[in-house]
Amino acid sequence: MLRCIIHYLQQTNIVWKTALASTISWDLAKLAGSQHPFLAPLTVILCLQPTLDKSVRYTYQRVFGTVVGVLLTAFIAPYLKITGWSIGLLILISAGIAKWMKVPEQVIKQMIISVLLVLALQSQSPAYAWDRIKDTLIGALVTIFIHLLIFPPDLTKKALYSMEKFADDLSERFSMVAKWIEYGCVPKGGDNLQNDAKKLFEELIQIITELNQASKNLKYNIFAQKSQTAFNQHNEQLLHLRQGYAHLTKMIQTFTEWSSSGNMTRENQILWSNYLQYIAVHIKNWKERINDNVFISEKLTAPFTLPAELEHHRYHLGLYNDALQIIQDFK
């Protein structure tokens, strides 16, 4: 029951964290004497994102843009008649300078919003400019602390799940290739398998993206030492998966060319079908080991060898195939 509650809280954290942080930031702004405490929860709502990386980035943009925009406008507003032209001119000047200084687009937007609101409200509420800076800082700090201290988002678990799924899919593809070879290794079937492998490539790209996001997220999480260790292990495991995918596509191409040549015998088909079935099972077992955090250091030996008459040519053949693949890749 407790595990279900925790899982639910983790899945809905962006909702209740926003509510909690908004409540706390409002009360803190009131305690700080703000006449415009809504600015603090407004910052929370704008800056609280699903990941720490995005939250920190949005918070920086919000705070920096607000402070610069307010400072540019606060001293001018009392002496400036508020018209559409004066607002447009000040926005043009401030945004132009920021653009010239290569300030990020999101920061410029926050500057422009601050310029507009300070110009519009300063005459009605002299405390608005200072409240905007103060309350924005309060909302920003509450956002980061709530996000970091209570169920901080951990993207490494999501990446591990994706890697496990990819390993299963990779194993299944080797099994499919084994069956294709067993049932005659028709060249057209190889083309279909290559097209199917492209879907697997999309999965691989998604895993790389998730690991990159996890890396950025961990950079800000000072309490995620365990997750950092897991992330380093995932990075090493990803290398095996990438190599496995590369070998899969290369082998499909080789079998297709071999079958098209007319030199593949029935004995060859049975032999290689068995070999690839073993590879499929081996990948599945590898996935189970990483899932259970069991790592085997000793080198595993494949249960198959080349025919005796080809054994002394194995290195030559391997290098030849690699060289041929390079030439094909750079056509």
Side-chain angles (χ1 to χ4, degrees):
M1 182 64 179
L2 179 60
R3 181 177 296 179
C4 292
I5 294 174
I6 292 175
H7 178 72
Y8 177 77
L9 290 174
Q10 289 174 331
Q11 292 297 314
T12 60
N13 74 84
I14 196 67
V15 176
W16 60 262
K17 279 185 179 181
T18 301
L20 177 62
S22 296
T23 302
I24 294 173
S25 62
W26 174 284
D27 288 340
L28 288 177
K30 291 287 287 184
L31 286 173
S34 174
Q35 298 178 30
H36 307 84
F38 66 88
L39 292 168
L42 177 62
T43 298
V44 170
I45 294 168
L46 293 174
C47 296
L48 194 61
Q49 300 295 317
T51 66
L52 274 173
D53 171 55
K54 285 186 177 180
S55 291
V56 170
R57 187 156 23 99
Y58 275 59
T59 299
Y60 159 75
Q61 293 168 348
R62 169 80 175 168
V63 170
F64 186 76
T66 297
V67 171
V68 173
V70 169
L71 294 179
L72 283 173
T73 313
F75 298 106
I76 301 176
Y79 310 102
L80 192 66
K81 185 178 180 180
I82 308 302
T83 66
W85 287 103
S86 62
I87 290 174
L89 180 61
L90 193 54
I91 288 175
L92 177 64
I93 293 173
S94 58
I97 293 173
K99 192 69 176 177
W100 176 71
M101 295 176 65
K102 298 181 179 180
V103 174
E105 293 289 339
Q106 290 300 321
V107 175
I108 294 177
K109 287 182 180 180
Q110 295 298 330
M111 287 175 55
I112 293 173
I113 291 172
S114 294
V115 167
L116 174 62
L117 291 177
V118 172
L119 277 175
L121 300 176
Q122 181 79 351
S123 59
Q124 304 172 22
S125 178
Y128 179 79
W130 168 237
D131 281 351
R132 186 168 181 82
I133 293 178
K134 178 176 59 178
D135 295 348
T136 297
L137 288 171
I138 290 173
L141 290 173
V142 171
T143 297
I144 299 303
F145 276 110
I146 290 293
H147 216 10
L148 184 61
L149 297 178
I150 306 177
F151 292 122
D154 187 356
L155 301 182
T156 54
K157 293 180 180 178
K158 181 181 178 182
L160 177 59
Y161 173 79
S162 297
M163 289 175 66
E164 290 174 356
K165 182 179 180 302
F166 183 86
D168 283 334
D169 292 342
L170 184 63
S171 173
E172 181 184 353
R173 293 313 193 281
F174 272 106
S175 183
M176 289 168 59
V177 174
K179 291 177 182 177
W180 164 59
I181 297 170
E182 181 183 359
Y183 294 132
C185 200
V186 179
K188 186 177 180 180
D191 295 335
N192 294 335
L193 287 169
Q194 285 285 24
N195 291 330
D196 180 69
K198 292 178 181 177
K199 300 176 184 177
L200 207 58
F201 182 73
E202 294 173 4
E203 279 189 51
L204 187 59
I205 294 299
Q206 180 63 30
I207 294 172
I208 294 172
T209 301
E210 290 176 0
L211 282 174
N212 286 336
Q213 291 175 344
S215 175
K216 293 176 182 178
N217 207 55
L218 288 171
K219 184 168 57 176
Y220 299 104
N221 193 342
I222 58 177
F223 305 106
Q225 185 175 1
K226 184 178 179 180
S227 294
Q228 183 64 57
T229 302
F231 172 79
N232 294 336
Q233 292 174 346
H234 296 346
N235 255 341
E236 295 175 5
Q237 293 153 6
L238 177 62
L239 178 60
H240 295 299
L241 294 175
R242 294 174 69 169
Q243 290 173 333
Y245 174 80
H247 289 310
L248 172 69
T249 56
K250 184 186 295 185
M251 293 178 81
I252 293 173
Q253 181 179 344
T254 300
F255 282 122
T256 302
E257 293 175 358
W258 190 4
S259 179
S260 300
S261 71
N263 296 323
M264 178 178 278
T265 65
R266 183 59 187 162
E267 290 76 12
N268 295 146
Q269 293 172 359
I270 295 173
L271 182 69
W272 279 102
S273 177
N274 291 335
Y275 288 173
L276 292 181
Q277 285 290 6
Y278 169 81
I279 292 174
V281 173
H282 182 69
I283 292 174
K284 182 79 77 171
N285 292 338
W286 175 85
K287 189 267 292 190
E288 295 299 329
R289 291 200 306 273
I290 67 168
N291 189 35
D292 296 333
N293 290 320
V294 176
F295 301 96
I296 300 177
S297 58
E298 63 267 20
K299 186 175 181 181
L300 297 176
T301 303
F304 48 82
T305 58
L306 282 170
E309 65 272 16
L310 295 178
E311 180 62 32
H312 63 287
H313 293 301
R314 61 182 300 190
Y315 301 112
H316 178 79
L317 293 172
L319 290 170
Y320 173 79
N321 284 333
D322 288 338
L324 186 62
Q325 185 63 55
I326 292 172
I327 298 299
Q328 291 174 342
D329 289 342
F330 285 87
K331 279 185 177 178

